[in-house]
Structure formats: structure tokens, C-alpha cells
Amino acid sequence: MEIDRKAFLDSLGGAEGVKQMDSEARADAIEHHMLSQLNTEIGAKQNGEQKTAQTYPTVAEVEAQIETRSYRQGAGFLVVPRKGGNVKKLPPMPEHPTLADFFKLRFMETSNHVLQSAQLALKNGMSEEVILACLLHDVVQEIIRTDHGWWGAQLFELYVPEKVSFAIRYHQALRYYPDPSVGYEYPDLYRTLFGSDYVPPPYIEATYQAVRKHRWYMDARMVTVNDLYAFDPNAVVSMEPFLDILGRHFKQPKEGLGNDGSPVAHMWRTIARPDQPL
Ligand SMILES: [Fe+2]
Ligand SMILES: [Fe+2]
């Protein structure tokens, strides 16, 4: 970032004003000026992005994008990285991998987002089940994105309370439907991803109608509420605030995830070893 010297001096009362400041006050002033300039730049960038984002593609245009890519949108981020270039060799997993190991060594693309989402849920005073659901809700997108609510719930349901897997499974369908009672609006991101005239398929609509009437509707809905604003790539996040909640509600198998012979062990092994050809 470049400092506009004249604007900076003017803000301090010109060269005379600066002369009267001690070195600490000058350092503070520079830092303050840079911060406010940074905020202005971020604000301008966001406004610019909003302006361009208002021209959303149509469903037909989104469909026309398919053949411009070398991968399908449903492929997981770990399997087909979106950054381009060659993939890197993955660090080895420990012998008995825990959920924390997967977060650290395999959930590289999704962990920032879900940790932010869980942090927001924690700040908003959500129940431990909702916080845990937020922490886990999108990580399955490392291997598969299509219908990730269902895939994600399946990946976790043997290890978490039923309410948590319910919230993970259904947050996906609820994302398409506003709920003004809790301030949830249809996300602009979906206008870009699916097209401005997109209508969710019948199974999503039917799922929404059924979940709306379920006694745990609000638990799934709260994942969408805390999901929406959790996309700051620079946010500092860690697992630390959630270790107690995980300790209370996540049944970590002693053999390690992928080694416990459970019906979903293969899903964990696939995430652990995505370079296996078969
Ligand atoms: Fe999601
Ligand atoms: Fe999400």
C-alpha cells in the first residue's frame, strides 16, 4: 500500500503539526492512517465487486460454462484443486488419524470457512450441536461437492449426535430458501453459481418442505444463518475454541478415522489417500 504523503500530513495538521509530535505519536499516526486507508481500499474493492456481481449469469449461461472447464463443478477441492497447476504431494497422515489431523492435513480448502462459521455460531450463542454442525458442515466438499449436505451427514453421523448430522444434511437444501424470521436471505453467491433464474430441483424443494415442519428445523436453519457471512479469507481461526465441544460430542474412534471398520471408513480413507489410483 502506498501512503499519500500530502493527505497524511494534512490529516496531522501539516508539517508543523508533525514536528510537534514525538516519535511514538508519529508511529501511531502512520499506523492509524494506513489502517484507515486499507479499510477504504477494501471498501472500494467490495463496492466494485458488488457492482459487477449484480450482473448475474442466467441458468443457460451457467450451463454454457461447463465446457469451458477441465473438471466438473461437483469434484472436491482436494481431488481437483481450483488453483491450476500441478498438485503437491500430500503430507502423510498419522497412524490413527483424528478429526483434528484431517483438519490440519486434508481440509485445506474448507477449514477456514467452517472454522469461521463455527466461530460465528459460538459468538451468536448457539447450542453446542449447532456449533459442531457449523464446524463440520462443508468439509466433505474436499472430496465431493454435489449434494454435499447428504454426503457430509453420512461422513459424520456415526460419530456425532443425531441433531448434528441432521443439521449438516439439511443445511444444503435450506440455503435456497429465505427465512425472514431469522434474517436469512437467498445468497447472492447462488445467483452466480446457479444462475439468476435458477429453480432448485424437486427433491430440494420437497426436502425443504419436510424439514420446515421438523422439530429440528431451527438447528439446520442456524447452520445457514452462520454460514452466510463466513467467507473472510484473512480471518484468523483455530480449532482451539472447539476442542471441548469436540471432546463432549465427537466420538473419535481409537483406531483412527478410516481404520475403524465402520460403513463410512472408506470415505475417510479416500480423503486420507486421494492419490490412490483405485
Ligand atoms: Fe454447505
Ligand atoms: Fe458453508
Side-chain angles (χ1 to χ4, degrees):
M1 179 176 21
E2 275 177 41
I3 295 189
D4 180 337
R5 201 179 146 79
K6 186 174 180 310
F8 174 55
L9 288 176
D10 287 351
S11 75
L12 300 176
E16 267 315 297
V18 177
K19 258 189 222 159
Q20 285 166 24
M21 297 168 90
D22 62 25
S23 58
E24 200 176 330
R26 269 184 229 170
D28 278 354
I30 290 176
E31 195 181 315
H32 181 261
H33 183 80
M34 286 180 78
L35 270 179
S36 72
Q37 199 173 320
L38 180 66
N39 286 337
T40 314
E41 282 174 17
I42 290 171
K45 203 173 148 211
Q46 282 167 348
N47 285 340
E49 276 165 10
Q50 270 163 14
K51 238 181 249 159
T52 47
Q54 269 158 18
T55 9
Y56 301 108
T58 61
V59 168
E61 283 163 348
V62 169
E63 209 177 299
Q65 291 168 9
I66 293 173
E67 298 199 359
T68 68
R69 294 191 193 97
S70 58
Y71 59 89
R72 299 195 189 279
Q73 286 280 65
F77 297 119
L78 181 65
V79 190
V80 184
R82 305 306 202 257
K83 287 188 188 103
N86 289 354
V87 294
K88 291 268 180 308
K89 212 170 153 183
L90 288 164
M93 294 293 286
E95 211 181 322
H96 307 291
T98 64
L99 181 65
D101 293 324
F102 276 90
F103 262 86
K104 201 165 64 202
L105 303 170
R106 293 296 181 271
F107 298 161
M108 277 85 80
E109 289 300 318
T110 53
S111 61
N112 185 295
H113 166 61
V114 295
L115 282 163
Q116 277 186 67
S117 171
Q119 218 163 45
L120 193 59
L122 186 67
K123 199 178 109 208
N124 288 338
M126 297 288 119
S127 69
E128 294 201 341
E129 284 101 334
V130 168
I131 295 169
L132 183 54
C134 287
L135 184 68
L136 307 176
H137 78 281
D138 275 343
V139 296
V140 84
Q141 291 193 42
E142 297 285 355
I143 42 168
I144 182 87
R145 298 185 69 213
T146 308
D147 269 341
H148 71 281
W150 278 270
W151 284 95
Q154 192 177 3
L155 183 69
F156 287 112
E157 66 194 340
L158 294 174
Y159 310 107
V160 297
E162 202 183 338
K163 198 188 267 185
V164 175
S165 56
F166 179 93
I168 296 171
R169 178 170 286 113
Y170 297 120
H171 89 275
Q172 180 202 332
L174 296 190
R175 288 282 261 143
Y176 301 92
Y177 301 90
D179 184 342
S181 80
V182 288
Y184 178 80
E185 291 173 10
Y186 185 81
D188 278 345
L189 173 69
Y190 281 22
R191 295 191 171 93
T192 308
L193 284 181
F194 298 101
S196 52
D197 49 341
Y198 182 72
V199 179
Y203 79 93
I204 292 283
E205 168 75 23
T207 300
Y208 165 66
Q209 294 301 345
V211 174
R212 190 96 187 74
K213 297 185 202 101
H214 196 281
R215 67 190 193 285
W216 290 344
Y217 164 72
M218 256 316 152
D219 297 280
R221 172 53 78 195
M222 281 303 131
V223 175
T224 72
V225 169
N226 292 286
D227 190 5
L228 196 56
Y229 304 106
F231 282 104
D232 178 356
N234 302 315
V236 181
V237 285
S238 92
M239 282 286 269
E240 221 282 303
F242 312 108
L243 295 179
D244 284 351
I245 293 177
L246 282 170
R248 277 192 286 278
H249 301 288
F250 189 83
K251 286 184 236 135
Q252 172 66 47
K254 61 179 185 321
E255 309 88 331
L257 290 160
N259 303 334
D260 61 351
S262 81
V264 297
H266 65 286
M267 293 170 76
W268 290 98
R269 290 195 301 266
T270 303
I271 302 172
R273 307 188 306 160
D275 289 300
Q276 284 295 112
L278 290 173

